[in-house]
Amino acid sequence: MINLIAALQPLVVGVVLIWSARVKLLSPHAAQAANRSALARLVGQRRALPAYRLLGGVEVTLGALLLLPPVLRVEAVAATVLAAGFLAYLGWARRAAPDSSCGCLSARATPVSGRGTARAGLLLAAGALAVAATDGWLPTLAGRPAPGAAVLLVELAAVVALSPELDRHWLLPLRRLRADLTHPLRGGSGVPLLASVHQLQLSDAYRRVAPLLCSDVREHWDEGDWRFVGHAARYQGRPVTAVFAVPLADREPDLVRVAVVDDVTGHTLLSLAGTPPASGRRLSVAPA
């Protein structure tokens, strides 16, 4: 089984590298992604986009080499070195530029997180296994299609699960389904909480902080024309509460505001899409 897994790693790493390169080379929002990333701090604002494009070129070249037989050991070594570079870069970015965007698998603004770092670690392990492979991925998959497909599905699912950039394709729909099943409640205003949750999850403010959230709705209350909704979250390694302000009268997701509040000090650490309307109530949410 180890030989089977090792032989399939060039395919896994190659697919991930080419997907990552697609963002850097073909996305119309590549310039914004480069400027939001920690590359801007590492090489300077003017050099961020050229460095981003250059990295994309390296990724697509190495990814294609890994996918095209025969897979040479030097290609697997190069992939391992590149993954180690990713891991070091993300570790540096979390310390030196914690508010920067990853810019890895999507041009969308996505904070550098533990999940992205774990994904880089997974690619590093995959590259190391590929170095030890004795057979190519194509004859291995042709000879053992069922177990080979199972290994690929598990690994690619792990990559997706460790990619906050892809949450909107699977995690947010699951959260909406959970909200549908667990919160068919009405607030004091008569507006169903489910309607507020749906409006909230369609908002840009929610999409921008979704990778930080680690709970469903913990508490909610109405105040004036606004409904305040609290989620447990983690920000820069500390337990926080994401407090969303959702308008009760207007069905406009663009009006939704969010503030990230430190659970220990009560200080607002982050405010997106403007400042939420002031509320005199403090959330009593246990640390995440």
Side-chain angles (χ1 to χ4, degrees), residues 3 28 36 66 68 75 82 85 93 99-100 228 254 268:
N3 291 334
R36 286 193 300 257
L66 289 170
L68 294 174
E75 298 166 3
L82 184 62
D99 294 330
S100 63
F228 291 87
D254 290 343
T268 298

Side-chain angles (χ1 to χ4, degrees), residues 48-273:
L49 181 58
Y52 197 61
R53 300 282 197 196
L54 177 61
L55 177 58
V58 171
E59 288 176 331
V60 74
T61 301
L62 184 54
L65 289 173
L66 289 170
L67 292 183
L68 294 174
V71 178
L72 304 178
R73 181 159 298 177
V74 66
E75 298 166 3
V77 171
T80 305
V81 171
L82 184 62
F86 289 155
L87 191 59
Y89 166 76
L90 291 175
W92 171 83
R94 292 189 73 181
R95 294 191 303 272
D99 294 330
S100 63
S101 177
C102 181
C104 302
L105 298 185
S106 171
R108 287 176 172 267
T110 306
V112 177
S113 66
R115 289 167 65 195
T117 305
R119 180 184 60 209
L122 178 63
L123 289 179
L124 177 60
L129 279 172
V131 173
T134 56
D135 298 315
W137 67 265
L138 188 56
T140 299
L141 192 58
R144 302 179 65 185
V151 169
L152 291 176
L153 285 175
V154 169
E155 284 201 68
L156 293 177
V159 170
V160 171
L162 293 174
S163 301
E165 307 95 326
L166 305 179
D167 283 354
R168 64 192 181 97
H169 297 296
W170 68 278
L171 186 56
L172 294 186
L174 285 180
R175 284 177 173 165
R176 294 189 186 107
L177 176 61
R178 184 176 179 184
D180 290 343
L181 297 175
T182 60
H183 293 291
L185 306 175
R186 291 184 177 272
S189 64
V191 177
L193 176 59
L194 177 59
S196 296
V197 169
H198 182 65
Q199 184 179 183
L200 164 65
Q201 292 178 340
L202 291 176
S203 69
D204 181 65
Y206 183 88
R207 287 192 294 268
R208 293 170 69 184
V209 301
L212 307 178
L213 304 182
C214 51
S215 82
D216 207 332
V217 175
R218 287 288 185 89
E219 191 171 350
H220 66 93
W221 69 92
D222 298 344
E223 203 165 294
D225 294 329
W226 296 85
R227 171 165 292 160
F228 291 87
V229 179
H231 289 257
R234 294 194 72 84
Y235 180 67
Q236 296 180 358
R238 67 183 77 179
V240 298
T241 297
V243 184
F244 295 89
V246 184
L248 288 170
D250 301 305
R251 299 294 186 267
E252 280 295 332
D254 290 343
L255 297 179
V256 174
R257 307 288 185 257
V258 62
V260 175
V261 181
D262 193 303
D263 283 345
V264 177
T265 66
H267 295 155
T268 298
L269 304 176
L270 181 68
S271 180
L272 298 178

